[in-house]
Amino acid sequence: MKKLINDPADVVSQALLGMEAAHGDRLRVDHEHKVIFRKDAPRSGKVGLVSGGGSGHEPMHGGYVGVGMLDAACCGEVFTSPVPDQMLAATTGVDGGAGVLHIVKNYTGDVMNFEMAAELAADSGAQVRSVVVDDDVAVQDSLYTAGRRGVGTTVLLEKLVGAAAESGRSLDEVAELATRINSVGRSMGLALTSCTVPSAGKPTFELGDDEMELGIGIHGEPGRKRVPLASAAEAAQQLVDPIVSDLPYGAGDSVLAMVNGMGGTPLIELYLMYGEVHRLLEKAGITVARCLVGNYITSLEMAGCSVTLVKADDELVGLWDAPVNTPGLRWGA
């Protein structure tokens, strides 16, 4: 194992020290609970947005804390859910009197622990709502989930809902918007290599030089099937077709599109893949209103990519264009 770390047991806590040093103008860190807060949280009268999950998917979620996105992110150990105490600290720490929305990826540990935290917060008088993101079309159930996994739509949802909360919408309005975005978001990914969890010290799984895993999860969970290594054009088709047919998306639709790297794929390949995805969508009569290309929800150093589409309308495009200022996304601010 070759990694730029000190002790595998200290990776998350020491990474948080680095984030605080790098982005102290926007963030503050509760090191006891391993929670990253927007520096000015809580904001009086603003709905607080809390997300979180296992570390190793950076910049998600800590990189999306700041103006126009999240108010707090709970950082679990690598590929391990945060615990309810962390989530409770985040919830109480961002509650400005307008309530708090939990944005939860559909993994059993995350769902269970956020539910427990919400109950504890409610016992203290807080208003808490939750939305569970379950956008992965690859598999119905996995090693970590009942139902579909929560993946790339989480990033787009956090941006869109973050803009809505920033504009002063109520908790009910923000929760309803989050639910609607999840309902029109779909994702699927592929892996060219495994990744190595620092505490394990060895690759999570093995892939031959001539193989790729289609429909991989962000923790290295198995996908739909292991297939021969394909060209970018063929790989894009294998991702786009299941996504488009699932909702389904159709001619005349407008979408927010993301081609996301899993951590180990260079940008030149991601842009090449985006070109193939854009070509396929254009051929289907689907217009890309806005896009992201880069590493936004990763799996440590895994090579591969994922594609996410969210069906867009004028409201969602307007929310997308609203100012954002976080370590992972920044424009108009």
Side-chain angles (χ1 to χ4, degrees):
M1 179 175 70
K2 291 184 178 180
K3 290 184 179 291
L4 293 173
I5 62 174
N6 296 311
D7 187 319
D10 297 329
V11 169
V12 175
S13 58
Q14 291 182 350
L16 289 176
L17 288 170
M19 280 200 73
E20 188 175 43
H23 303 294
D25 58 327
R26 285 170 280 190
L27 310 176
R28 59 182 172 82
V29 178
D30 174 347
H31 292 281
E32 177 186 354
H33 294 101
K34 295 181 181 175
V35 176
I36 300 171
F37 286 100
R38 176 173 162 168
K39 193 167 186 179
D40 59 355
R43 298 273 295 176
S44 179
K46 175 190 174 297
V47 172
L49 300 182
V50 174
S51 192
S55 298
H57 306 301
E58 290 72 26
M60 195 185 73
H61 293 275
Y64 301 133
V65 174
V67 175
M69 286 191 80
L70 299 174
D71 294 277
C74 311
C75 305
E77 294 302 315
V78 174
F79 293 0
T80 303
S81 173
V83 297
D85 284 353
Q86 292 177 268
M87 296 163 177
L88 180 61
T91 302
T92 57
V94 304
D95 189 355
V100 177
L101 179 70
H102 288 170
I103 300 170
V104 187
K105 300 186 305 303
N106 189 32
Y107 296 94
T108 302
D110 289 7
V111 172
M112 179 179 66
N113 290 341
F114 266 110
E115 284 179 351
M116 292 176 63
E119 290 172 3
L120 292 169
D123 289 344
S124 301
Q127 285 184 290
V128 182
R129 298 281 298 276
S130 298
V131 60
V132 176
V133 183
D134 56 355
D135 59 313
D136 187 356
V137 307
V139 293
Q140 181 61 39
D141 297 294
S142 75
L143 298 176
Y144 295 85
T145 64
R148 291 182 168 184
R149 302 174 291 210
V151 285
T153 294
T154 315
V155 176
L156 307 186
L157 186 149
E158 289 175 355
K159 168 64 185 82
L160 297 166
V161 173
E166 203 75 49
S167 72
R169 295 195 196 185
S170 70
L171 179 59
D172 284 346
E173 290 171 326
V174 171
E176 181 181 354
L177 175 67
T179 300
R180 177 161 66 90
I181 293 164
N182 180 59
S183 73
V184 293
R186 300 290 188 272
S187 300
M188 187 165 166
L190 63 82
L192 304 179
T193 69
S194 179
C195 60
T196 299
V197 175
S199 61
K202 61 182 180 180
T204 303
F205 59 91
E206 297 292 339
L207 268 178
D209 290 342
D210 59 349
E211 294 179 317
M212 63 183 189
E213 186 82 16
L214 187 63
I216 195 74
I218 58 174
H219 309 94
E221 311 98 308
R224 283 189 171 187
K225 55 185 175 179
R226 189 160 294 190
V227 298
L229 184 64
S231 68
E234 294 167 329
Q237 188 98 50
Q238 290 174 304
L239 295 180
V240 170
D241 283 355
I243 292 171
V244 168
S245 63
D246 190 272
L247 190 60
Y249 303 85
D253 282 343
S254 177
V255 298
L256 307 173
M258 178 172 72
V259 170
N260 165 68
M262 304 304 288
T265 298
L267 271 173
I268 189 171
E269 295 175 29
L270 296 179
Y271 276 115
L272 193 157
M273 277 294 292
Y274 178 77
E276 297 293 346
V277 170
H278 189 277
R279 176 183 59 80
L280 291 168
L281 295 176
E282 197 171 51
K283 184 178 178 181
I286 299 169
T287 301
V288 177
R290 301 289 187 271
C291 70
L292 285 178
V293 181
N295 289 309
Y296 296 102
I297 171 172
T298 60
S299 295
L300 296 171
E301 81 282 17
M302 182 184 289
C305 71
S306 62
V307 174
T308 297
L309 301 181
V310 169
K311 189 181 289 190
D313 54 21
D314 289 343
E315 178 192 14
L316 293 190
V317 172
L319 291 169
W320 185 259
D321 289 343
V324 61
N325 186 355
T326 70
L329 286 182
R330 182 175 183 177
W331 58 73

